């Protein structure tokens, strides 16, 4: 049980931020080379989703978007 808890912590603390940073960097490089596309947008959205899993960069959601 303790091993599973440590494994889960290691994944959330190390692997998820690295995957998000890698996806964001890959998206930036592809956009710099070929321009914006659906694939680069998906990579960026995936990186945003992964960073949201850890609680980083959460925006305040306002009802009327002021």
């Amino acid at each position: 049980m303790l091993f599973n808890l440590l494994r889960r912590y290691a994944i959330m603390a190390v692997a998820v931020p690295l995957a998000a940073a890698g996806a964001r960097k890959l998206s930036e490089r592809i956009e710099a080379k070929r321009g914006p596309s659906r694939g680069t947008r998906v990579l960026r959205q995936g990186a945003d989703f992964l960073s949201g899993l850890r609680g980083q960069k959460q925006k305040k959601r306002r009802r009327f978007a002021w």
Side-chain angles (χ1 to χ4, degrees):
M1 185 168 136
L2 184 61
F3 178 73
N4 288 338
L5 182 66
L6 289 174
R7 185 180 64 192
R8 190 177 309 151
Y9 176 76
I11 288 172
M12 291 301 287
V14 177
V16 171
L18 284 177
R24 191 176 310 278
K25 190 64 125 175
L26 180 63
S27 172
E28 289 173 1
R29 286 193 179 184
I30 292 174
E31 278 188 351
K33 192 172 187 176
R34 300 182 185 168
S37 68
R38 183 184 303 169
T40 58
R41 187 182 70 220
V42 168
L43 281 172
R44 233 179 308 115
Q45 286 176 345
D48 291 341
F49 175 76
L50 287 176
S51 66
L53 287 178
R54 286 194 72 225
Q56 295 176 348
K57 297 183 182 179
Q58 288 184 354
K59 298 177 183 177
K60 288 186 178 180
R61 294 187 182 198
R62 297 184 179 178
R63 185 172 182 177
F64 299 109
W66 295 2

